[in-house]
Structures are given as C-alpha cells and as structure tokens.
Amino acid sequence: MNLLISGISGFIGKSLYNSLSQNKDFKIIIISRKSSDLRFIKNSEIIFWDDPLIEEKIISLKVDVIINLITNYGINNDTEEIIHTNLLLPL
C-alpha cells in the first residue's frame, strides 16, 4: 500500500512514520518543505512542495492513502494563512 504523508517533521508525524516504516507492506512517500529536518527518514521517497512536477509525481506513485498532518499554529497571527494551511490545503 502506498501512503503519502505530509507534516512528517512534527511530533505526530515522526511517531507515525517510525511506526508505519516498520511494516514492509507500506511504501511511504513523504511530502515536505526542503527546510524540514528529515534525517530520520530511511528508504522512503521524498517530494518537496516547491517541485514543479509535484502533481505528476503524486499521480504516478498511485497513492492509496493520504495522511495530512500539516498544521499552522498562527505564529504570525495571519488568519488567512491559518485558514489556507489548516482547512483549504487538505482539500
């Protein structure tokens, strides 16, 4: 089963990745920012958000399940950005 996981660099994302990566039935595909610390990722494909071919890559990987763990806590108090990241982006 092909799993696409976003928000992998957070606490829940790391924990979920460490658990799921033990199961050889899962192919884990990560979607992330280039600035994220992904040193703990082993044997998983990584797609970066700014990749101009992001949609084509995701489609070609035939993803079965998407797990979205991205969140925006509103550090900059930008309400529009919070709504976009937490509500609209997952759609």
Side-chain angles (χ1 to χ4, degrees):
M1 180 179 298
N2 293 337
L3 308 175
L4 175 70
I5 305 176
S6 61
I8 199 87
S9 61
F11 176 77
I12 295 172
K14 284 180 186 175
S15 297
L16 181 64
Y17 175 80
N18 289 332
S19 177
L20 293 176
S21 64
Q22 303 300 314
N23 187 330
K24 301 303 178 196
D25 293 331
F26 296 140
K27 176 182 178 186
I28 301 174
I29 303 142
I30 308 301
I31 188 164
S32 183
R33 297 173 299 186
K34 287 184 179 177
S35 61
S36 295
D37 180 3
L38 302 175
R39 292 178 287 179
F40 64 97
I41 303 295
K42 306 286 188 243
N43 303 318
S44 294
E45 182 158 351
I46 300 172
I47 301 172
F48 294 106
W49 283 111
D50 62 351
D51 186 330
L53 300 175
I54 189 170
E55 288 184 44
E56 289 85 354
K57 287 183 178 181
I58 291 171
I59 291 169
S60 72
L61 292 167
K62 297 183 170 55
V63 173
D64 298 302
V65 176
I66 298 173
I67 301 171
N68 178 25
L69 300 172
I70 295 173
T71 191
N72 181 335
Y73 295 106
I75 295 170
N76 298 325
N77 293 322
D78 184 344
T79 305
E80 186 174 320
E81 182 181 342
I82 293 168
I83 291 170
H84 176 75
T85 305
N86 296 332
L87 299 176
L88 300 178
L89 186 60
L91 299 175

